[in-house]
Structure formats: structure tokens, C-alpha cells
Amino acid sequence: SFQELEKILNQIDGKGYKAYKELQGQYQWSNFTLSIDYVQGDPFASPSRIRVIVPGEKGGFPSELYNTPYKRRAVIDFLSRTVAKNISRIYHHVGGSGKSGLISIGYCGQEILERNYIVIDQNRVEARLEVGLPAAGRRILGKEAKYIFLVAIPKIVETSLFFNAISKESLFSQVKLVEDQYFLRQELKRRKLVAFVANGSILPRESGVSQRPMVKGAVPFQSPKEYEIEIQLPNYGPIKGMGLPQGVTLIVGGGFHGKSTLLQALELGVYDHILGDGREYLVTRENAVKIKAENGRYVEKVNISPFINNLPMGQDTVRFSTENASGSTSQAANIMEALEIGTDLLLIDEDTSATNFMIRDGRMQQLVQKEKEPITPFIDRVRTLYEEKGVSTVLVIGGSGDYFEVADHIIMMDEYTPRDVTQRAQEIIKGIQNPRKIEAVSTVQENPPRILLKSTFSMGKRGVKIKPRGIHQITFNKTDIDLRDLEQLIDPNQTNTICFMLQYIMERVVNDKMALKEVVEKVYKDVIEKGLDVVSPYKGHPGNMALPRKYEIACTLNRFRNLKIK
Ligand code: ADP
Ligand code: MG
């Protein structure tokens, strides 16, 4: 009981930090259980992990709120944010050395992701928290610890984990919002669209380092008449906006008119967004992939031959490997790896592409013969990708009209507002003879299965240590995995989950027989069926996780400089 906890805290007050280990265990309070699962070794180490568990009947959440995966996701996300808000509202942070006095729950940004910070089912509502056990230097501050466990945490539990204590209205509106976004994404497939952007959406962000909406001076999105459709949402009702059809779509327009902003919004439309984000009713096919040039990346046995062939010195491009890819080879590898996992929408921006990968105009064709140019530019592949593989492309390009000939739809951004210019561009093509010749008609051969080898995960003397460093970097023992260019990886706990998944793959999945794609699918399937916790190496509080897409898991393996493919 809590009396025991209080007794221990009285006893260890003023002692060395290690005495905190005695706290490990479970304590009963009138309406919840406190489980101290892991006690940190010193005040500067990662904080201690605890859980608070309210019995289901006491919590009182109706099961209709969590009886489908997307509703459960919405509720878990909502309660996580509620806990975070109540911590900052109620708790007066106690001081001390290192992480002393910290109380937190996993991070929630603008997206409503599948998370494990809360568990909700018939039997319980459970929140997973981190606590920095307070100390002065390395001496235990017992009084402060008592305030945390006996006062602050019970208050946080009372105000956050009981149905009658929280804002039902906000909870329901989040569940409804997710239901609508879920419906919209299904609707894309039914209507053969790749994206939907509701009128009134706010696309620009506050700044380059913030995902919050721009507050002042944002021009709300307004669909061109030619693409405007109306969709009946289950909760919101009828909504109008731009339905972007499958095929090859160009976004053209002068510099600074909002092209990249639109594309970036589409990239993140693979996720659901919270109320007030400005992108609540902007959805993209969930397997859409941003493709960039990524100078210097590692590539292991990828078939880039549809784009690059006849390299100097007879280098193999069917099983192409390099420690240091060029702009164009990296972009080719990125596309082929995306196809391998099964994307049906590529999102490409000229700002982050290799020029020689994207274009090769008529004059250059005359000067440099095809035999002397290993690159088959994207312009000569983009139609085949759609017509043979059903893979659509949305391409931002302000600098080359050659693409008019291969596009189904052309949209011009004009002072942040899209206009349909497809017809006008067609007329221009007719009027001017283009000396450019199409250079490839053959099909795009995909990667043969790439068998992932166990030797990828070679261990150091002390086993393996896989650690996230923010969102965009992982260290595997001493090897860095650079994820800087994965714009659709957006939450530090997605990265944490990928770390756990790498360990899970290494220990439980890889067998020298499965292809990289199959390995990724296996771990993903396990997580979908059994929950995120299945990949955690910890007992009790499993560590904070948010679900990444399959694609980002594959991307991590593909960028791992120890990756070995048979
Ligand atoms: P482009 O790619 O066409 O050069 P960007 O998308 O980079 O243009 O946008 C240029 C600037 O305009 C950015 O600072 C962006 O935040 C701002 N911006 C984009 N869309 C809007 C909008 N709808 N309302 C207000 N500002 C916008
Ligand atoms: Mg741009």
C-alpha cells in the first residue's frame, strides 16, 4: 500500500541514490495501482519508468470508445495529451540534480499516431510515465519524492484516467475526427485519387522547425474548380476540396508561390492530424513516399538499372552497392527501395532532387549521346511507372517544361492558390516542336528479392546497443544510421520503436532466408496483431513507442552501413 511506500521513502531520505532501488514494486491506492517498474541508477541517467493502473470498471470508459483499432488509437492519443496537460497544470516541478523532479508521458506532436503510452481495455486504463527521482547531488530527497508519489501522481491519475473527470466533448470530437480521416483515406482508393485537400486547409507551418500551423497571414487552401469534389464524411458531413487523381501530376509555378509547402503537406497526409492543425482534412495515400537525392548514403545490392546503366568501369547496376552514393544513384535507389516495399505514390520536389536524374533536354541529347549517358532520367520512366505498375507521381517542378508531355494533370501555384493549367500546357506543347527524344521504353524491372543476412547484426564485445538520437539518427553499437532525409519520420518515439524493432528483427526474425521486405512485414504484422509492446525489451513499462510505417523501417535497414544482402 501507499503507507509502505511512504515508510520506504522516510527510511531512505538522505541516503545514497542506489537506495531508491528499494522502491521497485507495486503499491495499492484506493482507486489505482502504482507500479514502479524500473528505477534509474543515478539522477542523470534515463528517468525511472512507472505505470499507474486504474481498474476498468472504476475508469468507466465505455467500450464503444475503443472497439475498433482507429478509435482506440484516437482515445489513447487523447488520454496521453490529457495526462501531459494535467502534469503541467497540476504539478509544481521539484528541483534537484540531473533529471530530479521530472514527471512526463511520451511525446505527442501534431499527428495522431498509434502509441503505447496508455493502455485501455475492459480491465484497465493504464498510463506509462517517466519520473526523475529527486536528489541533491546523489543524496535522496525523500520529502520531494513523497510529494511526487503521494500527492502529484494521485492527482494526475484522478484528473486524467477517469471518464467522469476528463472533457468528454473533446474526447468525442477527437474520436470523430479520426473516424472522418480514416473514412477519407478509404475514399481515396474508391475514387481513384491519391490525395484530398479540403478547402480552408492551412498548409504552411509556423517555421522551418515547427509543425504548428502558420498563425498570421496564411492563405487558406482553395481547390481549382476542375478538381473540386464533395465527400460526405460520417461526422463532419459534406466537405469540399481538391481531389487529386491518380497518374502523373505536376505542380508548377514561380518560386515562393507555395509549391513545396503543398508537397510537404501531402507527405504528412499519410498521418492523421489533431484538431486545429490546419491539415485535419488533408489526406494522402498511406503508402506515399517522399523521394529525395541523398548524397553519400549507403546502398546495398539494389537494382537501379531502370535508371542507371553502363557505369564507367563496368560497375554492376542490377545489384548496385556503394558506401557513398551520388545524387542521382541515391535517388534511383530510393525509388527502387520504395517500390520494393510497395508504394503507389511518389512525391518528388525539384528542390531536393538531382538535376541530372530529373531532366536531360533535347540539346543535351544531341551533344552527349545516349551511349555516353548512364542515366535514364525520371522523365522517361514516370509514365511507365504509372501505366505498368500503377505508381502515381506528384512532382514539383518549376524549371522544366519537358515534363508537360508526360503529365496527366498540371497544377500551377499562384500566390499560394492552385490553378489548373493542364490545357494551357497542352497548347504550348502543340505550338512548339520539342527536339527531345524519349530514351527508354522498356519496362521497369523491380528488385529481385533481397535476402537479409544475419551477419548484418554483428555484435560488439558487449552485445548490441541500439539507441535513438532524436528523430533522425540511430546508433547501432558504434555505427550511425543517418535518417536525416526521411521527412515522413516525424516522432522521436517512432525512432525509438524502430530501435526496438531492429533488436527484435535481429533476435527473433532474421534467418538468412527471408527478404528484407518479408522481414519488415513480419515485424509489422506482429506489432499490429499483438500491439507495440511486443517489440519492447523491457518488463513492465515497455518504453515509449509510436508506430512508424513499414517504409521507414525498411529505410532504416537500407541505410544501415552494416546491412548485408545475400
Ligand atoms: P516554392 O516551393 O514555390 O518556392 P514554398 O512552398 O517554399 O514555395 O513557399 C514559400 C514561402 O511561402 C514559405 O515561407 C511558406 O511558408 C510560405 N507559404 C506557403 N504557402 C503559404 C500559404 N498558403 N499562406 C501563406 N504563406 C505560405
Ligand atoms: Mg520549393
Side-chain angles (χ1 to χ4, degrees):
S1 74
F2 267 55
Q3 280 88 31
E4 286 165 53
L5 180 63
E6 192 170 7
K7 215 171 95 192
I8 303 175
L9 288 172
N10 286 334
Q11 283 163 1
I12 63 176
D13 184 27
K15 290 197 182 161
Y17 205 82
K18 287 274 182 286
Y20 264 138
K21 290 276 179 201
E22 288 177 40
L23 290 182
Q24 227 144 285
Q26 296 211 334
Y27 306 90
Q28 204 61 45
W29 193 249
S30 60
N31 52 6
F32 75 96
T33 305
L34 167 71
S35 182
I36 302 182
D37 297 323
Y38 166 80
V39 173
Q40 67 207 96
D42 73 75
F44 298 89
S46 2
S48 303
R49 294 192 295 271
I50 71 160
R51 287 172 301 145
V52 286
I53 306 148
V54 174
E57 74 275 11
K58 286 200 172 130
F61 287 86
S63 60
E64 305 90 74
L65 272 174
Y66 52 82
N67 60 5
T68 69
Y70 69 88
K71 284 200 257 177
R72 183 190 299 266
R73 168 165 58 88
V75 171
I76 288 174
D77 177 279
F78 180 84
L79 292 178
S80 305
R81 291 170 200 270
T82 304
V83 169
K85 257 185 237 150
N86 285 332
I87 291 171
S88 58
R89 198 169 56 86
I90 293 167
Y91 172 57
H92 305 287
H93 197 288
V94 302
S97 48
K99 301 204 171 83
S100 283
L102 167 126
I103 303 181
S104 67
I105 189 161
Y107 168 85
C108 295
Q110 295 299 103
E111 285 79 16
I112 302 172
L113 303 177
E114 178 100 31
R115 308 178 195 283
N116 75 339
Y117 318 158
I118 299 273
V119 180
I120 185 164
D121 57 30
Q122 301 283 343
N123 303 321
R124 66 190 161 154
V125 188
E126 170 179 314
R128 283 106 181 240
L129 305 176
E130 286 76 54
V131 174
L133 298 173
R138 298 187 41 85
R139 265 190 313 107
I140 290 175
L141 289 172
K143 211 169 109 227
E144 281 76 359
K146 276 202 290 193
Y147 166 67
I148 289 176
F149 286 117
L150 306 180
V151 181
I153 285 176
K155 257 199 206 162
I156 292 161
V157 173
E158 263 164 45
T159 50
S160 311
L161 301 182
F162 293 88
F163 187 53
N164 282 327
I166 60 161
S167 163
K168 296 192 181 67
E169 203 183 326
S170 315
L171 173 61
F172 287 131
S173 66
Q174 169 141 322
V175 173
K176 285 178 179 166
L177 179 62
V178 168
E179 192 164 42
D180 280 347
Q181 296 185 52
Y182 180 81
F183 179 88
L184 263 180
R185 225 172 261 109
Q186 302 297 107
E187 196 65 12
L188 291 182
K189 277 176 231 157
R190 284 194 283 269
R191 297 190 186 217
K192 297 194 171 16
L193 301 173
V194 294
F196 176 81
V197 185
N199 292 342
S201 295
I202 301 297
L203 275 39
R205 300 292 96 189
E206 192 174 61
S207 76
V209 293
S210 162
Q211 278 297 317
R212 302 249 274 261
M214 179 186 272
V215 223
K216 273 222 313 262
V219 176
F221 187 86
Q222 179 63 45
S223 173
K225 277 281 158 278
E226 292 83 350
Y227 301 101
E228 190 167 79
I229 57 169
E230 184 177 280
I231 295 178
Q232 185 73 28
L233 295 181
N235 300 304
Y236 184 95
I239 190 165
K240 281 190 181 163
M242 178 174 83
L244 209 56
Q246 294 177 177
V248 178
T249 302
L250 303 187
I251 301 173
V252 302
F256 307 103
H257 280 261
K259 303 185 297 295
S260 297
T261 303
L262 172 58
L263 195 79
Q264 279 156 7
L266 295 178
E267 285 165 30
L268 295 184
V270 300
Y271 298 119
D272 292 346
H273 288 96
I274 55 170
L275 200 67
D277 174 84
R279 301 168 295 189
E280 294 93 318
Y281 300 105
L282 185 167
V283 298
T284 310
R285 288 285 181 92
E286 56 220 351
N287 55 14
V289 168
K290 174 74 177 279
I291 299 291
K292 288 174 144 185
E294 208 177 325
N295 280 3
R297 69 158 280 198
Y298 177 80
V299 177
E300 167 72 353
K301 299 200 179 104
V302 175
N303 174 21
I304 58 168
S305 65
F307 296 102
I308 296 172
N309 232 319
N310 305 325
L311 280 180
M313 323 297 285
Q315 284 180 67
D316 186 2
T317 59
V318 175
R319 283 159 66 80
F320 178 77
S321 301
T322 179
E323 295 281 338
N324 183 7
S326 70
S328 53
T329 49
S330 62
Q331 201 161 355
N334 286 347
I335 291 177
M336 298 310 290
E337 289 167 352
L339 296 178
E340 181 177 322
I341 301 304
T343 180
D344 57 18
L345 176 61
L346 304 176
L347 303 171
I348 303 183
D349 194 328
E350 60 182 352
D351 291 353
T352 49
S353 292
T355 308
N356 57 346
F357 182 77
M358 299 305 292
I359 50 182
R360 182 165 134 81
D361 71 10
R363 285 183 172 158
M364 198 53 83
Q365 286 179 327
Q366 286 176 31
L367 187 67
V368 180
Q369 266 89 64
K370 172 71 187 127
E371 299 73 50
K372 298 275 179 203
E373 175 53 271
I375 302 173
T376 302
F378 188 68
I379 188 169
D380 287 324
R381 287 298 190 193
V382 64
R383 286 231 64 83
T384 341
L385 280 174
Y386 180 57
E387 282 157 18
E388 290 177 11
K389 304 228 172 289
V391 178
S392 299
T393 299
V394 176
L395 182 64
V396 167
I397 190 139
S400 169
D402 283 354
Y403 269 92
F404 293 170
E405 268 151 279
V406 294
D408 299 302
H409 314 283
I410 307 178
I411 291 170
M412 177 160 111
M413 291 306 283
D414 184 2
E415 303 193 338
Y416 313 134
T417 297
R419 293 203 285 123
D420 180 49
V421 293
T422 313
Q423 282 229 299
R424 178 75 191 107
Q426 298 303 340
E427 283 158 23
I428 292 170
I429 302 173
K430 276 190 217 130
I432 305 167
Q433 209 217 328
N434 189 346
R436 183 171 203 286
K437 289 193 288 289
I438 294 170
E439 293 188 333
V441 282
S442 58
T443 61
V444 174
Q445 296 287 336
E446 274 177 53
N447 275 338
R450 295 163 70 222
I451 305 298
L452 179 63
L453 294 176
K454 282 191 211 163
S455 53
T456 299
F457 305 99
S458 60
M459 293 205 212
K461 281 200 198 80
R462 298 206 205 103
V464 297
K465 216 179 192 158
I466 311 171
K467 283 249 173 286
R469 303 255 179 270
I471 300 180
H472 289 119
Q473 199 186 340
I474 289 174
T475 57
F476 187 105
N477 286 343
K478 290 210 167 77
T479 310
D480 286 334
I481 311 178
D482 182 354
L483 307 176
R484 207 173 354 177
D485 283 307
L486 305 190
E487 290 178 14
Q488 293 165 297
L489 185 66
I490 39 102
D491 186 302
N493 289 326
Q494 285 182 313
T495 313
N496 193 39
T497 308
I498 292 177
C499 290
F500 288 167
M501 285 173 162
L502 289 179
Q503 183 132 17
Y504 184 86
I505 287 172
M506 173 185 122
E507 287 168 2
R508 321 261 289 264
V509 184
V510 70
N511 60 3
D512 286 348
K513 292 192 183 73
M514 289 157 85
L516 184 142
K517 170 191 164 80
E518 292 167 326
V519 166
V520 170
E521 275 167 357
K522 166 77 173 116
V523 60
Y524 212 80
K525 180 164 161 275
D526 288 357
V527 162
I528 296 297
E529 280 173 7
K530 300 174 195 154
L532 281 163
D533 292 357
V534 72
V535 294
S536 165
Y538 305 131
K539 288 213 174 68
H541 185 319
N544 293 326
M545 288 187 255
L547 187 66
R549 300 185 308 162
K550 266 184 224 166
Y551 179 71
E552 277 72 29
I553 306 167
C555 277
T556 305
L557 284 166
N558 280 319
R559 279 159 187 71
F560 182 27
R561 287 179 183 271
N562 286 347
L563 174 68
K564 307 248 172 2
I565 297 289
K566 194 167 163 186

